[in-house]
Amino acid sequence: MRSIWASLAGAALATVAVPAGAQDDPRIARSIALRDQWQWLTRDIAFPATWDGDGRHFHYRKTVAGGFAFVDVDATTLAKRPAFDAAAIARALAAARRQAVDPLRLPFDGFAFEDGRGAIRFAIDYAPWRCTLTDPVCAPLDEPHRRPRGFDVVRDLTVPALNPPRPAPGGGREALVIDDNLVVRGIGGGAEAWRSHDGSPGDFYDPETIAWSPDGKWIALYRVRPGYRRIVTRVVSSPKDRVQPELVQQLYPKPGDAIDQERPVVFDAATGRQVTVDTALFPDPWQLGPIAWRRDGRSFAFDYMRRGFQHAAVVAVDAATGATHAAVREDAVTFIHNERRFAHDVGGAGAELIWASERDGWRHLYLIDAKTGRVKRQITRGNWVVRDIARIDDDRRRIWFSASGTVPGEDPYHKHWFRVDFDGRNLTRLTEGDATHEARFSPDGTRFVTVHSRTDVPEVAELRDADHGRLIATLERGDVRALTAAGYRPPERFVAKGRDGTTDIHGLVVRPRDYDPAKRYAVIENIYAGPHDSFVPKGYWPFGAFSGGDKAMGMQQIADLGFIVVMIDGMGTANRSKAFHDVAWRNLADSGFPDRIAWMRALAAKDRAVDLSRVGIYGGSAGGQSTLNALLFHPELYKAGVAFAGCFDNRMDKVDWNEQWLGWPVNPSYLAASGVVHADKLRGKLLLVVGEQDSNVDPASTMQVVDALIRADKDFELLVIPNGEHAAGRSTGPVAYGQRREYDFFLRTLGGAR
């Protein structure tokens, strides 16, 4: 066995060494250049539309020669014009940011009109900006922000809470928190009427949750016992403005940590009398949703998810007595998908709820009696999935939503749009054609803009009637002639049976532009298997409205090196049946590999150019974890992998994502998926890439894998990007260093076409 010092030396060299010839390899240079060559060759609409608040106009972004432009449409006449003077906005932004701005490549993807269309608001790198349109002046907006929370469950108590006085309905009084206690006083800082006296730093009233009842008789808010303040500390080894390194700290709760404990409190606004709220219905809360008063002011409700993600409810509270009841509840043997929960209080009256549930094995809509919690009616049903709920009309008792898997013979991930009555009648499909559709509805709900496409069919943007789906106008048609002339060919859609021999598994195949069916090609899989969604693009490539353009382009760039590149949605991902999704429960090591392997074997049986003796894999974040696990648990197929910013041990990663799929408390399933625990199983070739300043996945997760691999005497390569964030190594900046290293790695370890 080699010494630990020899292994350390090898790993350190791999961190900085550039493989011989990689910088000068014309194949790599040609592939990296492809993005700039193809990026603006399509003519398409980038996303459905943004409607003005009055519904008289909508606007969208579309590609034009050399970049993109924003188009404004009069919803009545359908007349089109530029949404604003892009050249003038570019000049104003350049002056404000002190850097050049190209009017055809403005640094924002969307915007909203303000001040009667006299200004626009948008975000640059998540920071809010505003530009006036007459004599344009642009400036960042210094807006008050809610106190930060680590992954939304632990408040950062080093930052003051947002605590403006909250005026009572009808005026006269206001509420705020002083010294951790609720205070009611005269409007504008007048005489204090009363304050609570039981608040403390360890059990405080949260001013950001104050909610007056509509009649001003009651005040409800959350009282909070703070969770554990776990801090991740990173070393900035190479600061841009100094020589010496510095430290960065981040509030970063991890699985099993104590989180903030919220509980609702009600006060009589006139006297300050506190009403005790019964907490029996919401033990061990993961998080309580915003307090929502019912229309009559006699009760309020909030969403509740129990920690562990197996029980959810809408809890209603009687303001006068503090008595509680479950307006609706949901229980699961495995998990409830937290990000897909949906509840709508019909008319704000607390009598009925529209509720999304997978209780029959598919995500559907239910009408709930909110007084008893019982199901009055299942509104939608069938072996298909409700996806987006766009609009609910309480007066007409109608719902507009998207769903996938509704059309036999179509890709089950394609979305179509529907309307249905609360009683489940008059289900009407509003979109047509074998494609996936995105939509945005007008404020009055009478019309919608839809953009539809398929991986091999360019976008079409349409304005349609929302009652029957009648086509009002075709707004844009994608034009890909220039892209096609440049050599682009759409990917192949391929379907094969999964591990059970019956379930269809869907994926895509990307081939080199100079593909020769007489040759044999190594296969590289682009993997992301996070249970929170599905990931194989469904819209037109490579820069379509909802295609995942970077993902698509990266696959073509790798394919052009002489590989067949595939992407697959295996079991354990979302947007299919509950049983399909449940494969991921406490089973993240699975990553759908039995389905992926079966799919690739079916592809090889059909196409002799597919060489399964040389299979590689790459992915970032959860895809990085899956990449490593492919080499640990399936070395019979996977021979080489590039893992970017992987959450290799789920105990080291963020609290919310991991507890959602692996459960709480921390249990043996965390160890079963750990690349640290199983590092000694490594076979094949591995390149680890990590950004030193990754704020999404603790970069120590990668270094712990490095440590375990060294202790197991395993050879590997490591690339650390100083100052790099979560996307480090995958970004395509001017240098594209990580991209070049990845491409060289696959050429060295797998070879290309033979």
Side-chain angles (χ1 to χ4, degrees), residues 621-632:
S621 197
Q625 179 183 30
S626 296
T627 294
L628 176 59
N629 286 347
L631 302 180
L632 300 180

Side-chain angles (χ1 to χ4, degrees), residues 474-654:
T474 298
L475 302 169
E476 305 281 353
R477 288 188 180 275
D479 184 345
V480 297
R481 288 174 294 182
L483 185 64
T484 301
Y488 172 74
R489 297 294 180 270
E492 172 190 346
R493 297 186 292 160
F494 185 71
V495 183
K497 299 301 180 184
R499 69 186 75 184
D500 58 6
T502 59
T503 303
D504 284 341
I505 302 298
H506 290 251
L508 291 175
V509 182
V510 180
R511 302 176 191 273
R513 285 179 289 167
D514 61 356
Y515 174 72
D516 182 349
K519 292 182 178 180
R520 298 276 285 166
Y521 291 85
V523 178
I524 297 178
E525 180 180 359
N526 174 10
I527 191 168
Y528 195 93
H532 54 280
D533 210 339
S534 54
F535 303 98
V536 174
K538 300 300 172 183
Y540 190 76
W541 286 27
F543 295 104
F546 23 84
S547 65
D550 284 346
K551 185 189 308 178
M553 179 57 71
M555 291 173 67
Q556 186 66 61
Q557 288 172 299
I558 293 174
D560 281 357
L561 296 172
F563 299 104
I564 289 176
V565 185
V566 301
M567 191 172 188
I568 309 156
D569 278 322
M571 291 185 188
T573 51
N575 301 322
R576 298 283 289 274
S577 69
K578 176 65 171 164
F580 189 101
H581 200 188
D582 276 348
V583 170
W585 172 238
R586 296 190 173 182
N587 190 29
L588 289 185
D590 182 278
S591 292
F593 281 122
D595 310 301
R596 299 169 189 280
I597 293 169
W599 186 95
M600 280 190 267
R601 286 175 175 160
L603 179 66
K606 174 187 173 185
D607 185 351
R608 69 166 303 278
V610 174
D611 183 357
L612 292 190
S613 70
R614 298 180 294 143
V615 177
I617 186 169
Y618 70 95
S621 197
Q625 179 183 30
S626 296
T627 294
L628 176 59
N629 286 347
L631 302 180
L632 300 180
F633 303 132
H634 301 280
E636 75 283 357
L637 183 73
Y638 296 97
K639 307 303 181 186
V642 181
F644 299 92
C647 43
F648 299 113
D649 188 312
N650 301 96
R651 297 169 297 177
M652 285 289 292
D653 194 26
K654 61 195 75 65

